[in-house]
Amino acid sequence: MRNIRLKLAYDGTNYHGFQRQDEAHGPTVQGTLESVWARLIEEKITLAMAGRTDAGVHASGQIVNFMTAARIPEEKIPKAFNSLLPRDIRILEAECVADEFNARWSAKWKRYDYLIDNKRVPDIFKRLYASHMPIPLNTDFMQQAAAFLEGRHNFKTFAAAGGDSKRFERTIYRCQVREEDNRLIRVSCVGDGFLYHMVRIIVGTLMEVGKGRTLPGEIPEIIASHDRKRARMIAPAHGLTLVHVNYTDESPFEVFKELFK
Amino acid sequence: MRNIRLKLAYDGTNYHGFQRQDEAHGPTVQGTLESVWARLIEEKITLAMAGRTDAGVHASGQIVNFMTAARIPEEKIPKAFNSLLPRDIRILEAECVADEFNARWSAKWKRYDYLIDNKRVPDIFKRLYASHMPIPLNTDFMQQAAAFLEGRHNFKTFAAAGGDSKRFERTIYRCQVREEDNRLIRVSCVGDGFLYHMVRIIVGTLMEVGKGRTLPGEIPEIIASHDRKRARMIAPAHGLTLVHVNYTDESPFEVFKELFK
């Protein structure tokens, strides 16, 4: 048996999230990958995934792994998968890794990006990948607030009910807010792990700051409250993209220098 | 009666082109706009449009106009339209113009952009707006070839059958090829008018040059041949976007300085 690691990208618009579940909800990325493999190789696999993205969330660098007895050379796996996958899922890389590698548990840190289309009239071509907010947001305030989130904290305030985490301490290495194009705002979050809906709740809170409804200086107290009711806003799923999962000892600063400017 | 000019953007993915036609083909942008107006105002209008984009072609700056007896102030028209339009069409501006203004016949020049995703594995998030070409393209050759297209020429070589033009002389002010992101190539064409499928045939020809199958120096002779068989390749519709239509005496150089660098 070989342990195969895949890097993949997908447009989450048409999927009911990554994780396989009752099919009545609609197709999932995991279910689609597993059934394509069954068609290719006639082998039933179970994928482990780095980030269980919600319905509508995208990925440009999701990582999964699975054990296989198939003899297909790993360099041929992306093309084989892509020949049968729908056009909104693409396998970017495949490699053979050590048996103990697990896409979820071996991850050292991850990067998620959230896009906000802050134009008055939404940009048609961003509508599937950015969340539209017509109220003008103050990105300076948002960046000041984001800086308070960096470091090791108990993030219970920012964890939605329904997650399976019992410990709420996480480290955010970087939370950057940038207007990268005319009124297109990118929030990048790099951390050693994220609680259920945590990035979307962080972005929802930063948007309240951007509107002037919450002051940046209130963030430390909101974190310390451990009270979910203090961070009520959850940003829509379709603005979120899982960008990168890191398994080496490289620091985010080495991999994403531009985020630390 | 007032003559109303609209600027609009649309994602052409789900439309059978701009121009209204037999509904059996599927929805059109024109049909959608006219029926939304009928719901808003109970008035039957007929839109004139600057560019009759084909099925699958997008627009970020399409211009249309129509005569109306309705009293709705023009500044309220975008919001009224957008409240009923599907999310893949947005009205960006509305203004009252002179009676003799016609979106098609009053246009002085237009800009179309064509995006080519030249990555080996297609970028999921560009798949609806860029045409994927896995064979590496030489953009230097493509730019050399594009330069030969600039100026006033008989473009019969680049006109698909089925157009209604009897004269084939057109002026291309600028045809620029740029790699704007990692293996994302933008071809921008600015001209006083374009024949049926002309931009897509130009891009198809430039892609042949990019692959090394046609030399840049062959372009003048291909133009002079007036022979459609010399430019066989037509680039797919979904890479094309109508960016701008100009009605003033401003030159493309004034409006799009960055294209002339």
PDB file of all heavy atoms in Angstrom, chain B residues 91-111:
ATOM      1  N   ILE B  91     -26.592  46.544 -13.845  1.00  0.00           N
ATOM      2  CA  ILE B  91     -26.573  47.874 -14.454  1.00  0.00           C
ATOM      3  C   ILE B  91     -25.650  48.749 -13.621  1.00  0.00           C
ATOM      4  O   ILE B  91     -25.843  48.880 -12.404  1.00  0.00           O
ATOM      5  CB  ILE B  91     -27.991  48.495 -14.491  1.00  0.00           C
ATOM      6  CG1 ILE B  91     -28.978  47.547 -15.171  1.00  0.00           C
ATOM      7  CG2 ILE B  91     -27.957  49.863 -15.183  1.00  0.00           C
ATOM      8  CD1 ILE B  91     -28.707  47.242 -16.618  1.00  0.00           C
ATOM      9  N   LEU B  92     -24.652  49.354 -14.268  1.00  0.00           N
ATOM     10  CA  LEU B  92     -23.661  50.147 -13.546  1.00  0.00           C
ATOM     11  C   LEU B  92     -23.988  51.630 -13.554  1.00  0.00           C
ATOM     12  O   LEU B  92     -23.711  52.332 -12.588  1.00  0.00           O
ATOM     13  CB  LEU B  92     -22.273  49.927 -14.168  1.00  0.00           C
ATOM     14  CG  LEU B  92     -21.827  48.460 -14.288  1.00  0.00           C
ATOM     15  CD1 LEU B  92     -20.504  48.364 -15.036  1.00  0.00           C
ATOM     16  CD2 LEU B  92     -21.696  47.820 -12.903  1.00  0.00           C
ATOM     17  N   GLU B  93     -24.554  52.112 -14.673  1.00  0.00           N
ATOM     18  CA  GLU B  93     -24.865  53.545 -14.790  1.00  0.00           C
ATOM     19  C   GLU B  93     -26.068  53.712 -15.702  1.00  0.00           C
ATOM     20  O   GLU B  93     -26.296  52.900 -16.592  1.00  0.00           O
ATOM     21  CB  GLU B  93     -23.693  54.304 -15.451  1.00  0.00           C
ATOM     22  CG  GLU B  93     -22.409  54.311 -14.660  1.00  0.00           C
ATOM     23  CD  GLU B  93     -21.219  54.821 -15.496  1.00  0.00           C
ATOM     24  OE1 GLU B  93     -21.436  55.373 -16.597  1.00  0.00           O
ATOM     25  OE2 GLU B  93     -20.085  54.637 -15.027  1.00  0.00           O
ATOM     26  N   ALA B  94     -26.790  54.802 -15.470  1.00  0.00           N
ATOM     27  CA  ALA B  94     -27.874  55.176 -16.396  1.00  0.00           C
ATOM     28  C   ALA B  94     -27.832  56.677 -16.567  1.00  0.00           C
ATOM     29  O   ALA B  94     -27.610  57.413 -15.602  1.00  0.00           O
ATOM     30  CB  ALA B  94     -29.235  54.755 -15.835  1.00  0.00           C
ATOM     31  N   GLU B  95     -28.000  57.135 -17.805  1.00  0.00           N
ATOM     32  CA  GLU B  95     -28.137  58.576 -17.975  1.00  0.00           C
ATOM     33  C   GLU B  95     -29.053  58.875 -19.151  1.00  0.00           C
ATOM     34  O   GLU B  95     -29.262  58.037 -20.029  1.00  0.00           O
ATOM     35  CB  GLU B  95     -26.788  59.274 -18.134  1.00  0.00           C
ATOM     36  CG  GLU B  95     -25.945  58.791 -19.267  1.00  0.00           C
ATOM     37  CD  GLU B  95     -24.615  59.559 -19.359  1.00  0.00           C
ATOM     38  OE1 GLU B  95     -24.631  60.798 -19.292  1.00  0.00           O
ATOM     39  OE2 GLU B  95     -23.580  58.897 -19.519  1.00  0.00           O
ATOM     40  N   CYS B  96     -29.615  60.094 -19.120  1.00  0.00           N
ATOM     41  CA  CYS B  96     -30.489  60.550 -20.177  1.00  0.00           C
ATOM     42  C   CYS B  96     -29.601  61.177 -21.255  1.00  0.00           C
ATOM     43  O   CYS B  96     -28.736  62.004 -20.947  1.00  0.00           O
ATOM     44  CB  CYS B  96     -31.447  61.577 -19.579  1.00  0.00           C
ATOM     45  SG  CYS B  96     -32.734  62.060 -20.702  1.00  0.00           S
ATOM     46  N   VAL B  97     -29.771  60.755 -22.500  1.00  0.00           N
ATOM     47  CA  VAL B  97     -28.912  61.258 -23.584  1.00  0.00           C
ATOM     48  C   VAL B  97     -29.761  61.857 -24.703  1.00  0.00           C
ATOM     49  O   VAL B  97     -30.995  61.730 -24.700  1.00  0.00           O
ATOM     50  CB  VAL B  97     -28.005  60.128 -24.144  1.00  0.00           C
ATOM     51  CG1 VAL B  97     -26.933  59.744 -23.135  1.00  0.00           C
ATOM     52  CG2 VAL B  97     -28.833  58.911 -24.548  1.00  0.00           C
ATOM     53  N   ALA B  98     -29.078  62.497 -25.653  1.00  0.00           N
ATOM     54  CA  ALA B  98     -29.772  63.137 -26.777  1.00  0.00           C
ATOM     55  C   ALA B  98     -30.537  62.089 -27.584  1.00  0.00           C
ATOM     56  O   ALA B  98     -30.114  60.939 -27.690  1.00  0.00           O
ATOM     57  CB  ALA B  98     -28.763  63.852 -27.682  1.00  0.00           C
ATOM     58  N   ASP B  99     -31.666  62.512 -28.185  1.00  0.00           N
ATOM     59  CA  ASP B  99     -32.506  61.574 -28.937  1.00  0.00           C
ATOM     60  C   ASP B  99     -31.740  60.845 -30.035  1.00  0.00           C
ATOM     61  O   ASP B  99     -32.032  59.689 -30.338  1.00  0.00           O
ATOM     62  CB  ASP B  99     -33.681  62.328 -29.595  1.00  0.00           C
ATOM     63  CG  ASP B  99     -34.791  62.601 -28.589  1.00  0.00           C
ATOM     64  OD1 ASP B  99     -34.638  62.191 -27.414  1.00  0.00           O
ATOM     65  OD2 ASP B  99     -35.785  63.234 -28.970  1.00  0.00           O
ATOM     66  N   GLU B 100     -30.785  61.536 -30.641  1.00  0.00           N
ATOM     67  CA  GLU B 100     -30.096  60.924 -31.783  1.00  0.00           C
ATOM     68  C   GLU B 100     -29.033  59.915 -31.361  1.00  0.00           C
ATOM     69  O   GLU B 100     -28.452  59.229 -32.205  1.00  0.00           O
ATOM     70  CB  GLU B 100     -29.481  61.993 -32.696  1.00  0.00           C
ATOM     71  CG  GLU B 100     -28.502  62.938 -32.034  1.00  0.00           C
ATOM     72  CD  GLU B 100     -29.189  64.170 -31.405  1.00  0.00           C
ATOM     73  OE1 GLU B 100     -30.404  64.090 -31.098  1.00  0.00           O
ATOM     74  OE2 GLU B 100     -28.501  65.186 -31.199  1.00  0.00           O
ATOM     75  N   PHE B 101     -28.785  59.800 -30.045  1.00  0.00           N
ATOM     76  CA  PHE B 101     -27.779  58.828 -29.593  1.00  0.00           C
ATOM     77  C   PHE B 101     -28.261  57.402 -29.849  1.00  0.00           C
ATOM     78  O   PHE B 101     -29.383  57.034 -29.481  1.00  0.00           O
ATOM     79  CB  PHE B 101     -27.497  58.997 -28.095  1.00  0.00           C
ATOM     80  CG  PHE B 101     -26.562  57.927 -27.559  1.00  0.00           C
ATOM     81  CD1 PHE B 101     -25.184  58.098 -27.636  1.00  0.00           C
ATOM     82  CD2 PHE B 101     -27.055  56.740 -27.020  1.00  0.00           C
ATOM     83  CE1 PHE B 101     -24.323  57.105 -27.177  1.00  0.00           C
ATOM     84  CE2 PHE B 101     -26.196  55.748 -26.560  1.00  0.00           C
ATOM     85  CZ  PHE B 101     -24.831  55.935 -26.640  1.00  0.00           C
ATOM     86  N   ASN B 102     -27.402  56.610 -30.451  1.00  0.00           N
ATOM     87  CA  ASN B 102     -27.669  55.178 -30.631  1.00  0.00           C
ATOM     88  C   ASN B 102     -26.429  54.407 -30.189  1.00  0.00           C
ATOM     89  O   ASN B 102     -25.327  54.674 -30.668  1.00  0.00           O
ATOM     90  CB  ASN B 102     -27.990  54.875 -32.107  1.00  0.00           C
ATOM     91  CG  ASN B 102     -28.177  53.384 -32.352  1.00  0.00           C
ATOM     92  OD1 ASN B 102     -27.217  52.619 -32.398  1.00  0.00           O
ATOM     93  ND2 ASN B 102     -29.426  52.956 -32.496  1.00  0.00           N
ATOM     94  N   ALA B 103     -26.621  53.470 -29.278  1.00  0.00           N
ATOM     95  CA  ALA B 103     -25.474  52.780 -28.651  1.00  0.00           C
ATOM     96  C   ALA B 103     -24.583  52.137 -29.704  1.00  0.00           C
ATOM     97  O   ALA B 103     -23.357  52.109 -29.562  1.00  0.00           O
ATOM     98  CB  ALA B 103     -25.967  51.735 -27.659  1.00  0.00           C
ATOM     99  N   ARG B 104     -25.208  51.639 -30.779  1.00  0.00           N
ATOM    100  CA  ARG B 104     -24.386  50.989 -31.807  1.00  0.00           C
ATOM    101  C   ARG B 104     -23.762  51.997 -32.772  1.00  0.00           C
ATOM    102  O   ARG B 104     -22.553  52.018 -32.967  1.00  0.00           O
ATOM    103  CB  ARG B 104     -25.249  49.996 -32.596  1.00  0.00           C
ATOM    104  CG  ARG B 104     -24.399  49.254 -33.617  1.00  0.00           C
ATOM    105  CD  ARG B 104     -25.126  48.043 -34.166  1.00  0.00           C
ATOM    106  NE  ARG B 104     -24.265  47.309 -35.080  1.00  0.00           N
ATOM    107  CZ  ARG B 104     -24.692  46.446 -35.976  1.00  0.00           C
ATOM    108  NH1 ARG B 104     -25.991  46.210 -36.081  1.00  0.00           N
ATOM    109  NH2 ARG B 104     -23.846  45.815 -36.761  1.00  0.00           N
ATOM    110  N   TRP B 105     -24.587  52.848 -33.349  1.00  0.00           N
ATOM    111  CA  TRP B 105     -24.088  53.687 -34.441  1.00  0.00           C
ATOM    112  C   TRP B 105     -23.310  54.892 -33.969  1.00  0.00           C
ATOM    113  O   TRP B 105     -22.513  55.462 -34.740  1.00  0.00           O
ATOM    114  CB  TRP B 105     -25.254  54.102 -35.361  1.00  0.00           C
ATOM    115  CG  TRP B 105     -25.988  52.908 -35.876  1.00  0.00           C
ATOM    116  CD1 TRP B 105     -27.277  52.561 -35.609  1.00  0.00           C
ATOM    117  CD2 TRP B 105     -25.457  51.855 -36.704  1.00  0.00           C
ATOM    118  NE1 TRP B 105     -27.595  51.359 -36.215  1.00  0.00           N
ATOM    119  CE2 TRP B 105     -26.493  50.908 -36.900  1.00  0.00           C
ATOM    120  CE3 TRP B 105     -24.211  51.620 -37.303  1.00  0.00           C
ATOM    121  CZ2 TRP B 105     -26.326  49.752 -37.658  1.00  0.00           C
ATOM    122  CZ3 TRP B 105     -24.043  50.469 -38.056  1.00  0.00           C
ATOM    123  CH2 TRP B 105     -25.087  49.554 -38.229  1.00  0.00           C
ATOM    124  N   SER B 106     -23.517  55.311 -32.732  1.00  0.00           N
ATOM    125  CA  SER B 106     -22.779  56.474 -32.220  1.00  0.00           C
ATOM    126  C   SER B 106     -21.400  56.110 -31.676  1.00  0.00           C
ATOM    127  O   SER B 106     -20.611  56.996 -31.357  1.00  0.00           O
ATOM    128  CB  SER B 106     -23.576  57.165 -31.104  1.00  0.00           C
ATOM    129  OG  SER B 106     -24.893  57.487 -31.538  1.00  0.00           O
ATOM    130  N   ALA B 107     -21.102  54.828 -31.571  1.00  0.00           N
ATOM    131  CA  ALA B 107     -19.819  54.411 -30.970  1.00  0.00           C
ATOM    132  C   ALA B 107     -18.641  54.824 -31.856  1.00  0.00           C
ATOM    133  O   ALA B 107     -18.669  54.636 -33.069  1.00  0.00           O
ATOM    134  CB  ALA B 107     -19.817  52.894 -30.756  1.00  0.00           C
ATOM    135  N   LYS B 108     -17.625  55.395 -31.223  1.00  0.00           N
ATOM    136  CA  LYS B 108     -16.415  55.782 -31.961  1.00  0.00           C
ATOM    137  C   LYS B 108     -15.377  54.660 -31.974  1.00  0.00           C
ATOM    138  O   LYS B 108     -14.703  54.423 -32.955  1.00  0.00           O
ATOM    139  CB  LYS B 108     -15.794  57.038 -31.329  1.00  0.00           C
ATOM    140  CG  LYS B 108     -16.704  58.264 -31.317  1.00  0.00           C
ATOM    141  CD  LYS B 108     -16.693  58.985 -32.643  1.00  0.00           C
ATOM    142  CE  LYS B 108     -17.676  60.148 -32.693  1.00  0.00           C
ATOM    143  NZ  LYS B 108     -17.352  61.285 -31.830  1.00  0.00           N
ATOM    144  N   TRP B 109     -15.228  54.021 -30.845  1.00  0.00           N
ATOM    145  CA  TRP B 109     -14.301  52.882 -30.776  1.00  0.00           C
ATOM    146  C   TRP B 109     -14.642  52.014 -29.575  1.00  0.00           C
ATOM    147  O   TRP B 109     -15.380  52.448 -28.683  1.00  0.00           O
ATOM    148  CB  TRP B 109     -12.828  53.333 -30.758  1.00  0.00           C
ATOM    149  CG  TRP B 109     -12.450  54.338 -29.691  1.00  0.00           C
ATOM    150  CD1 TRP B 109     -12.463  55.698 -29.816  1.00  0.00           C
ATOM    151  CD2 TRP B 109     -11.987  54.059 -28.359  1.00  0.00           C
ATOM    152  NE1 TRP B 109     -12.046  56.295 -28.644  1.00  0.00           N
ATOM    153  CE2 TRP B 109     -11.737  55.308 -27.733  1.00  0.00           C
ATOM    154  CE3 TRP B 109     -11.750  52.895 -27.636  1.00  0.00           C
ATOM    155  CZ2 TRP B 109     -11.276  55.417 -26.422  1.00  0.00           C
ATOM    156  CZ3 TRP B 109     -11.282  52.997 -26.329  1.00  0.00           C
ATOM    157  CH2 TRP B 109     -11.050  54.250 -25.743  1.00  0.00           C
ATOM    158  N   LYS B 110     -14.117  50.788 -29.608  1.00  0.00           N
ATOM    159  CA  LYS B 110     -14.411  49.816 -28.552  1.00  0.00           C
ATOM    160  C   LYS B 110     -13.140  49.110 -28.121  1.00  0.00           C
ATOM    161  O   LYS B 110     -12.182  49.008 -28.876  1.00  0.00           O
ATOM    162  CB  LYS B 110     -15.362  48.723 -29.072  1.00  0.00           C
ATOM    163  CG  LYS B 110     -16.716  49.184 -29.517  1.00  0.00           C
ATOM    164  CD  LYS B 110     -17.609  47.976 -29.823  1.00  0.00           C
ATOM    165  CE  LYS B 110     -18.900  48.391 -30.489  1.00  0.00           C
ATOM    166  NZ  LYS B 110     -18.891  48.158 -31.943  1.00  0.00           N
ATOM    167  N   ARG B 111     -13.193  48.585 -26.907  1.00  0.00           N
ATOM    168  CA  ARG B 111     -12.090  47.740 -26.432  1.00  0.00           C
ATOM    169  C   ARG B 111     -12.630  46.372 -26.014  1.00  0.00           C
ATOM    170  O   ARG B 111     -13.582  46.289 -25.232  1.00  0.00           O
ATOM    171  CB  ARG B 111     -11.389  48.391 -25.231  1.00  0.00           C
ATOM    172  CG  ARG B 111     -10.376  47.456 -24.571  1.00  0.00           C
ATOM    173  CD  ARG B 111      -9.677  48.108 -23.395  1.00  0.00           C
ATOM    174  NE  ARG B 111      -8.877  47.110 -22.681  1.00  0.00           N
ATOM    175  CZ  ARG B 111      -8.127  47.375 -21.621  1.00  0.00           C
ATOM    176  NH1 ARG B 111      -8.050  48.617 -21.158  1.00  0.00           N
ATOM    177  NH2 ARG B 111      -7.449  46.421 -21.018  1.00  0.00           N
TER     178      ARG B 111
END
